[in-house]
Amino acid sequence: MNSHISLRRLVAATAVAYAVNAASLSDNCTTTSEVDSVSLEDICTTAYAQSVLPDTDSYPGITIDSTSVTTSIVTNSSVSSEWYPASTIEYCNVTFAYSHNGIKDDIVHVTYWVPSPDSFQNRYVSTGGGGLAINSGSEYIPSGIIVGAVSGITDGGFGSFDTDWDAVFLLANGTINWQSVYMFGYQAHRELATVGKELTRNFFNMSGSTKLYSYYQGCSEGGREGWSQVQRFADQFDGAAIGAPAFRYGQQQVNHLIGNVVEQTLGYYPPPCELEKVMNLTIAACDPMDGLADGIISRSDLCKLKFDLDSTIGEAYSCAATEAGVDSSDAPQTQGSPAQNGTVTAEAIAVVSAYLDGIHNSEGERVYLSYQPGAEFDDTATQFDPETGAWGPSISGLGGEWVGRFLELRDTNTLSTLDNVTYDTLEEWMKLGMQRYYDSLQTTYPDLSDFEAAGGKVIHVHGEQDFSIPTASSVRYYESVRGVMYGGLGFNESVAALDGFYRLYLVPGAGHCSTNGYQPGGPWPQTTLQAVIKWVEDGVEPDTLGGTGNIDTICRWPLRPLWSGNGTSFDCVYHQESIDTWSYALDAYSVPLY
Ligand SMILES: *[C@@H]1O[C@H](CO)[C@@H](O)[C@H](O)[C@H]1NC(C)=O
Ligand SMILES: *[C@@H]1O[C@H](CO)[C@@H](O)[C@H](O)[C@H]1NC(C)=O
Ligand SMILES: *[C@@H]1O[C@H](CO)[C@@H](O)[C@H](O)[C@H]1NC(C)=O
Ligand SMILES: *[C@@H]1O[C@H](CO)[C@@H](O)[C@H](O)[C@H]1NC(C)=O
Ligand SMILES: *[C@@H]1O[C@H](CO)[C@@H](O)[C@H](O)[C@H]1NC(C)=O
Ligand SMILES: *[C@@H]1O[C@H](CO)[C@@H](O)[C@H](O)[C@H]1NC(C)=O
Ligand SMILES: *[C@@H]1O[C@H](CO)[C@@H](O)[C@H](O)[C@H]1NC(C)=O
Ligand SMILES: *[C@@H]1O[C@H](CO)[C@@H](O)[C@H](O)[C@H]1NC(C)=O
Ligand SMILES: *[C@@H]1O[C@H](CO)[C@@H](O)[C@H](O)[C@H]1NC(C)=O
Ligand SMILES: *[C@@H]1O[C@H](CO)[C@@H](O)[C@H](O)[C@H]1NC(C)=O
C-alpha cells in the first residue's frame, strides 16, 4: 500500500532543480523552458499522482490507499458563481482515499483539483460544505484553480461526496457515531488541508524552502468549518475567506425553530403572503435610511432604530395561488397554497416583532439573538392545511432534524410536531446542544492569538439580510474575539488591533451567502479569496471589499455605509447608536456565550 513512498523520495531528490516560484517563472522565459514544458497532461496521470502522495508520516494516524488514486483532465470548463469571477478553467481532477488506522471499515475520500504547471501560483485552497454536507461538490472548488492553487474537498468519511453527515451520525438509535462528529466538526478539514498541502508540494516539486501559501474558502456550514480550523490550527492556513458561519452551533440549529414556536405561542400562523408583504414594506421604508433609495437596505441597524413595524398593519396584500412543488430551501416540499388576500394584521406584526426580537425564556432572560429587519422570513414558514382550511407550522428541516436526530438521537429527518414546545424548551435544547458538542461543533473559541502570531488573516463576510444565520451572530463572535484578545484596550484601539488580522464585512441587502432577489442590484463580495491573498502575500489591507451589483464598496465593521448628497457621496461611518443595536445581552446563560 505504501510502495509510493520510495518513488516519492526519488522524485524529491530531483526536485531541487525545479524549486522555483512559479509566479516569478512566468516573467522569466530564459531559464524556464524546461519547467514550462511540463504540461498538465504530463502530470495528470495515475502513476504521477501516486508518486507524489504524501508520506505516511505527514499525518500520523492515517494510511493513504495509493491503489485508489484516479486522475482525469478537465479542460475548457466554464464556471461561474457569486464566490469567484466567471472563468474558463482546466485542471487535473485527482481523487484518492485514506483510512484512519485502527478504525474498522473506515474510508475517507478526497478530491484535489490541480492547476496546470504554468498557472500554479504556489497556493493551496481548502473549500467547505453547507447544511449537513461537508463539501459543496464542484460549487466552490473552482475558486482555487482560478487563483492558481491546488484546491480540495473531502467527503468526511461519510461514504461518498454526496453523502451528508446525518446519514452516518447514528450507529443505532441512541448511539452516536462520535468519529463522524469529530470528522464533521473539524478533523476531516484538518486532514484535507494537511494532506492537500503536502500533495501540492510534491506535485510541483516544491523545495522545502519555497513558501506554499494556503487558504480556505467556505460559507454557512462551510464558514463554520473554516473557523474550526483557524481556531485550532494556527499555522494551517495563511488566510481564510469565511462567509456567514453556522457557528455557535448549539444555538444556531435550534434557532431555526423559533419562528414556528413564536407562532404557536402567540396562536397565529401568518399566510406567507402576509409576511412577504411585511418584508416588502420594511424594505421600502428602510431602504432610504442609508441615504440612497436604491431598493437595498444597507443599514438594517437604522431600520431597527427607526422603523415602526406597526405602521404596516392594515396594508393590503394579495398573492396568487401556487402549485405544489419542491422548495430549494430546507423545507423539503412546498404544499400548494390558495390565493391569499387580506390586510396585514396586528397578530402578524406581533409574530414578526417577537421573531425579530429573538427568544426570551419564561424568566424574561434573553436566550438568543435574531435576524435583521428586512430579511426574508424563512424560519417562520407556514403551510396550508386543505383539510382544515387553516395555516399551520412548516417545521424547519435543519431545526427539526437537529432536535430529532442530533439531540434526541432518533433516526429521523424531522420533528413531526412542536406541540408543547415552549421558549423554555428551545432554551433547554440550545444548552443541551452547546454542552454535548462544545468541543466539536460550537466553534466559537474566541482566542485567536496563535493564529495572529502565525501571521494568518481572516476576511469574514455576512449578508446584512441573512435569513438563515442571523447577521448579529457574526458580529457577536467578532466582538467576543475583540473582548477576549484586547479586553484591556478601548473600543477603537481594540478594533484597530483586530484589524491587523481579522476583519468583518456586512454585505448590504445580501441574503444567506448570496445576493437577495428582493433587493436586486445589491452586492456580493465575489473576490473575497483574492482579497485575502493580496492581504497575505502583498500586505494589501482590505479597508473595504469590492462588490458585484450596484454597490462597489462594502464597509468593514464597525463602520457602516452612509450616502449623502442624494447618492453622490459615500462613506463608511462610525455610529455608536447603530453599533449598539447589534449587541445582545444573553443573560439566560451563566457561562460566557462567545
Ligand atoms: C530570471 O533569471 C535570471 C537569471 O537566472 C535571474 O537573475 C532573475 O532573477 C530571474 N528573474 C525572475 C523574475 O525570476
Ligand atoms: C470550449 O467550450 C465552449 C463552450 O462550451 C466551446 O464553444 C469551445 O469550442 C470550447 N473550446 C475548446 C478549445 O474546446
Ligand atoms: C473527478 O473524478 C472522480 C473520480 O473519477 C469523479 O467521480 C468526479 O466526477 C470527477 N469530477 C470532475 C469535476 O471531473
Ligand atoms: C517534478 O519532477 C519530476 C521528476 O523530475 C518530473 O517528472 C515532473 O514533471 C516534475 N513536475 C513538475 C510539475 O514540474
Ligand atoms: C414583494 O415584492 C416582490 C418584488 O420584490 C414582489 O414580486 C412580490 O409580489 C411582493 N409581495 C407581496 C406580497 O406584495
Ligand atoms: C385575490 O388575489 C388574487 C391574486 O392576486 C386576485 O386576482 C383577486 O382579485 C383577489 N381577490 C380579492 C377578492 O381581492
Ligand atoms: C429509531 O428511531 C426512529 C425515529 O424515532 C424510529 O422510527 C425507528 O423505529 C427506530 N428504530 C429502532 C430500531 O428502534
Ligand atoms: C402535550 O402535552 C399534553 C398534556 O400534557 C399531552 O397530553 C400531549 O401528549 C403532549 N403532546 C406531545 C406531542 O407530547
Ligand atoms: C471611535 O472613533 C470614532 C472616530 O472614528 C469616534 O467617533 C468614536 O467616538 C470612537 N469611539 C469610541 C468608543 O471611542
Ligand atoms: C435624487 O436622485 C434621483 C435620481 O437621480 C432623483 O430622481 C431624485 O429626485 C433626487 N432626489 C433629490 C431629493 O434630489
Side-chain angles (χ1 to χ4, degrees), residues 253-277:
Q253 298 301 68
V254 174
N255 196 56
H256 284 302
L257 299 172
I258 69 167
N260 281 166
V261 175
V262 165
E263 288 159 351
Q264 170 167 282
T265 305
L266 299 183
Y268 182 70
Y269 294 92
C273 186
E274 185 175 23
L275 290 175
E276 190 179 63
K277 183 70 186 183

Side-chain angles (χ1 to χ4, degrees), residues 6-59:
S6 52
L7 184 47
R8 225 283 286 156
R9 296 245 157 84
L10 212 71
V11 171
T14 56
V16 183
Y18 298 90
V20 247
N21 181 311
S24 57
L25 280 182
S26 49
D27 323 330
N28 199 332
C29 309
T30 54
T31 60
T32 59
S33 53
E34 190 183 358
V35 174
D36 278 351
S37 69
V38 176
S39 69
L40 190 59
E41 284 78 5
D42 294 333
I43 57 172
C44 194
T45 66
T46 301
Y48 186 80
Q50 284 172 331
S51 78
V52 297
L53 288 175
D55 288 346
T56 41
D57 57 6
S58 70
Y59 195 102

Side-chain angles (χ1 to χ4, degrees), residues 137-158:
S138 52
E139 193 185 334
Y140 291 127
I141 187 170
S143 60
I145 297 298
I146 289 167
V147 299
V150 172
S151 188
I153 58 173
T154 177
D155 82 345
F158 307 149

Side-chain angles (χ1 to χ4, degrees), residues 289-534:
M289 291 179 184
D290 54 33
L292 182 63
D294 57 357
I296 300 158
I297 300 182
S298 295
R299 293 294 295 279
S300 60
D301 39 37
L302 294 177
C303 188
K304 237 176 142 165
L305 288 169
K306 296 183 189 171
F307 180 54
D308 180 8
L309 272 169
D310 285 350
S311 67
T312 64
I313 295 171
E315 294 287 336
Y317 64 83
S318 105
C319 296
T322 61
E323 305 279 332
V326 177
D327 189 339
S328 60
S329 72
D330 42 302
Q333 176 81 25
T334 52
Q335 317 256 326
S337 58
Q340 299 156 54
N341 302 60
T343 55
V344 174
T345 59
E347 288 83 354
I349 294 311
V351 164
V352 168
S353 301
Y355 177 67
L356 293 181
D357 187 25
I359 70 161
H360 294 74
N361 62 21
S362 55
E363 306 289 310
E365 296 161 331
R366 176 177 282 287
V367 180
Y368 206 49
L369 42 76
S370 190
Y371 300 102
Q372 296 301 110
E376 275 186 76
F377 289 107
D378 211 52
D379 290 340
T380 52
T382 54
Q383 68 188 11
F384 187 71
D385 182 343
E387 279 174 27
T388 61
W391 294 88
S394 171
I395 301 173
S396 153
L398 279 171
E401 182 169 12
W402 175 250
V403 173
R405 184 185 301 277
F406 298 92
L407 297 185
E408 296 178 348
L409 308 185
R410 295 183 292 110
D411 184 14
T412 177
N413 292 328
T414 184
L415 274 185
S416 55
T417 171
L418 291 170
D419 282 0
N420 302 339
V421 173
T422 63
Y423 299 146
D424 287 349
T425 321
L426 296 180
E427 177 186 16
E428 284 164 25
W429 283 339
M430 285 185 177
K431 290 181 172 174
L432 174 61
M434 172 172 77
Q435 282 189 306
R436 185 180 294 167
Y437 303 106
Y438 202 73
D439 67 341
S440 53
L441 301 171
Q442 189 73 358
T443 326
T444 46
Y445 192 77
D447 182 359
L448 306 177
S449 305
D450 290 348
F451 180 77
E452 179 191 26
K457 312 286 184 216
V458 181
I459 293 183
H460 177 162
V461 303
H462 204 132
E464 182 102 9
Q465 313 292 149
D466 195 313
F467 52 81
S468 185
I469 298 178
T471 316
S473 167
S474 281
V475 173
R476 183 174 188 85
Y477 179 68
Y478 176 97
E479 290 298 320
S480 295
V481 174
R482 192 180 61 76
V484 164
M485 289 184 66
Y486 308 111
L489 300 179
F491 182 79
N492 285 340
E493 290 70 26
S494 57
V495 165
L498 206 46
D499 263 353
F501 76 98
Y502 168 25
R503 297 181 179 208
L504 169 66
Y505 305 78
L506 306 185
V507 187
H512 186 55
C513 296
S514 77
T515 52
N516 173 1
Y518 288 105
Q519 298 185 41
W524 189 256
Q526 196 176 36
T527 51
T528 304
L529 178 60
Q530 284 81 349
V532 174
I533 290 173
K534 279 204 183 110

Side-chain angles (χ1 to χ4, degrees), residues 524-571:
W524 189 256
Q526 196 176 36
T527 51
T528 304
L529 178 60
Q530 284 81 349
V532 174
I533 290 173
K534 279 204 183 110
W535 194 8
V536 167
E537 297 182 19
D538 304 330
V540 179
E541 299 180 340
D543 275 349
T544 57
L545 292 183
T548 56
N550 300 333
I551 295 180
D552 59 9
T553 306
I554 299 168
C555 297
R556 128 179 144 268
W557 177 263
L559 303 182
R560 304 262 56 214
L562 188 67
W563 280 267
S564 51
N566 197 15
T568 56
S569 165
F570 173 84
D571 285 300

Side-chain angles (χ1 to χ4, degrees), residues 188-202:
H189 269 288
R190 171 60 164 168
E191 293 164 359
L192 177 73
T194 309
V195 169
K197 288 164 69 174
E198 179 83 359
L199 180 80
T200 304
R201 300 197 82 90
N202 296 346

